[in-house]
Every structure is written in structure tokens, then in C-alpha cells.
Amino acid sequence: MTVSRCLRDPSQVSESIREKVEQAVEDLGYIPNRAPDILSNAKSNVIGVLVPSLTNQVFAEVMRGIESVTTPDGYQTMIAHYGYSAELEEKSIASLLSYNVDAIILSENVHTEKARKMLETASIPVVEIMDTFSSRIEQAVGFDNSKAAQQMTEAMLAKGCHNVAYFAARMDERTRLKMAGYRQAMEDHAKPIVTLQTEEASSFTLGAKLMGELLEKHPEVDGVFCTNDDLAIGAVFECQRRGISIPAQMAIAGFHGHDISQAMIPKLATVITPREKIGQVAAEQLISRLKGNKKWQSCIDLGYQIEVGESL
């Protein structure tokens, strides 16, 4: 009983007893079974996080932001990956909820009806990240993807581009929002709309491939706006391989502002998004709500920054 009290709350035993128990735990390699605590207290001290990709740098930075808050506060994160599939997201949500997570962070605002029902039944705090434009379940932390893309397209036109094309990959909801922003800007300026779309995952190689297709099919294009920096960097490499001057002959812009985009030559024009800050704020909001805060904002827009770099 003394050992149990010490493991639950070290302040309940004397320092000498605590030291003996801690030494025994270390010597034995003992791992406490937390299942009874979870069942009796209906609290796991675990926050579930769903991410669409484990290789995308965007979500690596989001996770860094989340865990910079959860770890010091005594919460663990349980991560599930769903590969941009609404059906897999539904299964991942069911799996996380089966572990009795205290709260959940979702990387999408579009879910299946069953997923929404499960979250409603679970009655735990939910935060959706990376988008403040779409409708939300409870609370959203992020930025307006459509407005950001519209503003970057307008920046390209202001720099002298006449024919701007858009490269889209994955075709997830955020890509569609960005493409809508691009379309709006082009329509506002009475410019022709040219898009190259694929369900493939973004990569430098794909960006180079799309640039090759564009040059063959639309030689009149003098600017390319990409749904992320991976595609944009690949497009830059392909132009350099073909001896096409950037930005004199071809302006190129990306989205997110990865570290490499700001270190390369030419420095890439991009929409810089606060990925790590989004993770931090989402985690702070959830923990605050778990501690009883009832006065929380349903939508927290952290904005973005247009970086014209050297490729416009």
C-alpha cells in the first residue's frame, strides 16, 4: 500500500521511503500498469493527435509544438496516421478513443459522419488545426488557407507575372482551399486559370515533373504557385536544369516556408505559416479546457506571412 501511494503521489510518503521506492523501481525496471487508474478515474493524461503524414515536415513541426506544451504539463501524446484518407481517419479516431484519451487534436476539418458521431459521444475536448476557414466541430487553430493563397497569387501578379499556373498534389481539403484562393485572384484580375493537379504525394521529383509538363503544354506561363514548398523547390530545380532564369523567365512560389526554402538560391517566395505555434496553441487550449476553463475561443487565427524571397 505504501508503494502504491508513492507511485500515485510521491508527496504522500516521506523522502526516505520515496527514495527507496524509486531505487527499487529503477533496479527492477518496473513499469506501472495504468489501466486501473484510467478505468477508475476516467482520465488517462493522454492527448490523441491525428496527422495525415509522418514524413511531411509541416506535421513534424506541429508535433514539436504540441509536445513542447504537453510534456511539461504531464501529458503524453498518442499519434495516429491516416494518410489523407477520411476512412482511415475514422478508424484512427475510434482507436484513439478506445484508449480513453482525454482530448484529441485533428489535422482536418472534413470527417465522416461516423467520426463526428464518435467524437460527439466521447464528450472530450476537440481541436482541429491548420484551417480557420472551414466549419469546425468545436474549436479551430490555424489560418485561412484560401486567403493566404489569394494574397500570394496577387503578389505574383504585382511582380509582373501575366500567366500564373497552380500546381496541386494530394488534393486534400487544404489544397482545394488554396486552389480556390488562386482562382479568385486570377479571376479578379481577368487572368487565365491554369492548374496541374495530381493525387500523388508531394515531392521535389513531382515538382520537377509538373514543371516539365507545364513547359510542354503551356509555354506562355511565366509564373508557378505551388501548393507547398516541396513542389516549388522541385520546379526551381527543373528550371535550373533547363537553363530557365528565375525569376526573369519564370517566377515560382511555394507554401509553408520550410527552412530549406529560405536557405536555397534563389531564396524561395512562399507563404510562411506558424506550424509549431499552431501545435503549441492547440495543446495549450486543450489542457486549459481539461483544467476547467469554459471561456475558450471557438476559432484562433494565427495568421501567415507572405515572403517574396528572390524567386518572384
Side-chain angles (χ1 to χ4, degrees):
M1 289 177 66
T2 301
V3 171
S4 179
R5 282 198 301 272
C6 180
L7 292 176
R8 288 172 182 272
D9 184 0
S11 66
Q12 292 186 6
V13 301
S14 67
E15 186 175 347
S16 61
I17 292 294
R18 179 178 57 77
E19 289 175 353
K20 289 179 181 179
V21 172
E22 288 177 350
Q23 187 61 53
V25 166
E26 185 173 335
D27 292 343
L28 296 170
Y30 173 71
I31 300 173
N33 182 1
R34 298 185 58 237
D37 288 341
I38 293 173
L39 291 173
S40 63
N41 299 328
K43 196 172 190 302
S44 64
N45 277 78
V46 174
I47 291 176
V49 183
L50 275 85
V51 294
S53 171
L54 295 175
T55 57
N56 191 324
Q57 186 182 337
V58 169
F59 295 101
E61 293 174 5
V62 167
M63 283 306 308
R64 185 165 64 228
I66 291 170
E67 294 191 332
S68 73
V69 174
T70 55
T71 301
D73 245 301
Y75 284 84
Q76 299 290 324
T77 55
M78 186 177 289
I79 305 170
H81 163 252
Y82 58 91
Y84 293 92
S85 164
E87 289 71 27
L88 286 178
E89 187 206 42
E90 178 187 296
K91 292 179 181 179
S92 296
I93 288 172
S95 178
L96 288 174
L97 293 178
S98 74
Y99 285 98
N100 204 31
V101 294
D102 293 336
I104 198 162
I105 295 174
L106 305 174
S107 298
E108 302 286 345
N109 290 68
V110 177
H111 317 284
T112 66
E113 190 58 36
K114 184 178 179 181
R116 288 179 175 274
K117 187 64 177 177
M118 286 190 293
L119 291 167
E120 180 184 338
T121 303
S123 296
I124 60 173
V126 176
V127 171
E128 293 159 297
I129 59 172
M130 305 303 291
D131 176 23
T132 57
F133 176 84
S134 306
S135 58
R136 65 198 72 91
I137 293 175
E138 290 182 349
Q139 188 175 30
V141 177
F143 56 93
D144 189 329
N145 287 269
S146 183
K147 186 176 179 181
Q150 182 176 349
Q151 193 172 341
M152 175 54 86
T153 306
E154 289 172 347
M156 296 182 76
L157 295 172
K159 281 286 188 176
C161 294
H162 298 286
N163 296 283
V164 179
Y166 190 87
F167 287 179
R170 285 286 192 189
M171 302 313 297
D172 58 288
E173 184 62 21
R174 282 187 295 276
T175 292
R176 296 181 190 281
L177 287 172
K178 294 171 194 172
M179 194 156 58
Y182 154 79
R183 286 179 175 274
Q184 186 62 58
M186 296 298 281
E187 288 173 0
D188 288 347
H189 292 268
K191 298 292 186 180
I193 293 170
V194 177
T195 65
L196 269 65
Q197 305 172 35
T198 175
E199 295 286 347
E200 292 182 52
S202 297
S203 66
F204 298 154
T205 303
L206 179 60
K209 176 185 172 184
L210 291 176
M211 177 56 79
E213 292 179 11
L214 179 77
L215 293 171
E216 182 179 332
K217 297 176 182 177
H218 300 279
E220 76 283 1
V221 167
D222 57 2
V224 175
F225 181 21
C226 301
T227 200
N228 56 39
D229 285 350
D230 289 356
L231 294 182
I233 292 168
V236 168
F237 289 163
E238 182 63 15
C239 284
Q240 291 174 336
R241 188 180 73 80
R242 294 177 180 236
I244 298 171
S245 177
I246 302 172
Q249 294 174 277
M250 183 69 72
I252 298 175
F255 203 105
H256 281 309
H258 293 322
D259 184 60
I260 185 174
S261 72
Q262 302 305 287
M264 62 187 285
I265 299 175
K267 183 178 178 182
L268 186 67
T270 186
V271 178
I272 298 177
T273 58
R275 287 93 59 195
E276 188 168 344
K277 184 68 174 177
I278 288 171
Q280 290 173 352
V281 172
E284 288 168 354
Q285 288 294 307
L286 284 183
I287 292 174
S288 174
R289 289 170 61 184
L290 289 170
K291 290 179 178 178
N293 178 24
K294 304 293 184 184
K295 297 180 179 179
W296 42 270
Q297 294 176 253
S298 63
C299 184
I300 300 175
D301 194 323
L302 298 178
Y304 54 85
Q305 177 186 339
I306 300 296
E307 171 59 62
V308 297
E310 299 166 347
S311 63
L312 290 190

